[in-house]
Amino acid sequence: DVKVTQSSRYLVKRTGEKVFLECVQDMDHENMFWYRQDPGLGLRLIYFSYDVKMKEKGDIPEGYSVSREKKERFSLILESASTNQTSMYLCASSPGGGNSPLHFGNGTRLTVT
Amino acid sequence: EDKVVQSPLSLVVHEGDTVTLNCSYEVTNFRSLLWYKQEKKAPTFLFMLTSSGIEKKSGRLSSILDKKELSSILNITATQTGDSAIYLCAALPHGGSQGNLIFGKGTKLSVKP
């Protein structure tokens, strides 16, 4: 079974802090994704990556950056956390090509105070 | 603008009931529609539908795509409390990848004993 592991289940940070959310997948998938999920807004794509060192902006990249130095790891960085970044963050991966479903991690619930 | 709309947004039923969840889409160059189930953690993949009129089944769950009506339904028969979850549908355009997936806001299903 594909395993997508997010490093933290719950995280509480202060406004202005730099925050790293880590995601690791064990199936050699080319594609990795970061979403945030908010009530009433559904899943929104922040960034995705098709290969090591490659990244593409999603629908809501403002205030975020990403890093993919190794194929299995995709990090989401909040350079200066703000309260409106309080959310559930979901990482996902999929094989290369366009016709495979996403495999999601269990999510990180981030609270910024 | 491409969009996916799910209805109802929430639904409460009793065990043993049959439910139908709806997903409609307006997507340029539509290719496939995907359904996911999200309990407390990661969304898990249920179905991918590409051809119109062909039902996909998994136990008590089934789904079908109607390209004429630009919609899909997810049926759950003989519901159980374990079916309580948010059901997400997402549309995938041609020529795109999962980075182009367009998610609906989800239907929250609650099954009462």
Side-chain angles (χ1 to χ4, degrees):
Chain A
D1 259 359
V2 177
K3 196 149 184 204
V4 180
T5 303
Q6 294 184 229
S7 53
S8 305
R9 186 87 179 102
Y10 299 96
L11 211 49
V12 179
K13 296 291 181 181
R14 292 192 181 276
T15 303
E17 275 193 83
K18 190 168 185 175
V19 181
F20 293 86
L21 303 184
E22 306 286 348
C23 175
V24 177
Q25 48 94 4
D26 66 358
M27 281 302 288
D28 203 37
H29 283 171
E30 282 78 10
N31 305 328
M32 295 189 76
F33 307 82
W34 276 107
Y35 288 89
R36 64 177 282 177
Q37 187 175 30
D38 302 286
L41 296 176
L43 276 164
R44 293 180 290 167
L45 182 64
I46 305 171
Y47 267 97
F48 58 105
S49 168
Y50 292 128
D51 203 348
V52 176
K53 295 197 189 294
M54 292 187 68
K55 60 185 179 186
E56 299 275 349
K57 291 180 180 179
D59 300 318
I60 50 163
E62 297 79 19
Y64 303 95
S65 61
V66 290
S67 171
R68 193 158 180 209
E69 296 295 317
K70 292 185 178 182
K71 192 175 186 181
E72 67 270 19
R73 186 179 295 270
F74 193 36
S75 304
L76 180 70
I77 303 149
L78 287 66
E79 295 289 341
S80 176
S82 64
T83 53
N84 64 10
Q85 292 178 310
T86 292
S87 186
M88 169 68 89
Y89 289 87
L90 288 165
C91 174
S93 74
S94 71
N99 214 31
S100 301
L102 298 176
H103 298 267
F104 284 90
N106 283 339
T108 295
R109 185 165 293 282
L110 172 68
T111 303
V112 183
T113 62
Chain B
E1 187 184 325
D2 292 342
K3 63 180 180 182
V4 171
V5 177
Q6 292 186 245
S7 63
L9 289 181
S10 67
L11 189 55
V12 180
V13 300
H14 286 94
E15 266 191 321
D17 288 350
T18 292
V19 298
T20 299
L21 309 184
N22 299 286
C23 176
S24 64
Y25 60 88
E26 291 176 28
V27 174
T28 309
N29 289 325
F30 171 84
R31 172 165 66 177
S32 301
L33 191 125
L34 296 88
W35 284 96
Y36 288 85
K37 176 184 181 183
Q38 184 178 21
E39 295 173 84
K40 292 200 189 306
K41 302 178 184 177
T44 53
F45 171 71
L46 294 174
F47 301 111
M48 178 183 275
L49 305 157
T50 304
S51 301
S52 202
I54 297 174
E55 187 183 54
K56 292 210 172 179
K57 252 178 110 69
S58 176
R60 295 175 294 102
L61 277 66
S62 63
S63 184
I64 196 162
L65 178 66
D66 185 338
K67 285 187 174 178
K68 230 173 162 180
E69 296 295 324
L70 307 183
S71 65
S72 173
I73 59 170
L74 175 69
N75 277 322
I76 309 174
T77 58
T79 52
Q80 301 170 358
T81 53
D83 296 324
S84 295
I86 296 172
Y87 291 85
L88 299 167
C89 105
L92 181 64
H94 261 292
S97 67
Q98 295 89 342
N100 303 108
L101 265 178
I102 305 140
F103 278 91
K105 291 184 169 48
T107 292
K108 184 175 180 180
L109 174 64
S110 300
V111 182
K112 297 208 175 293

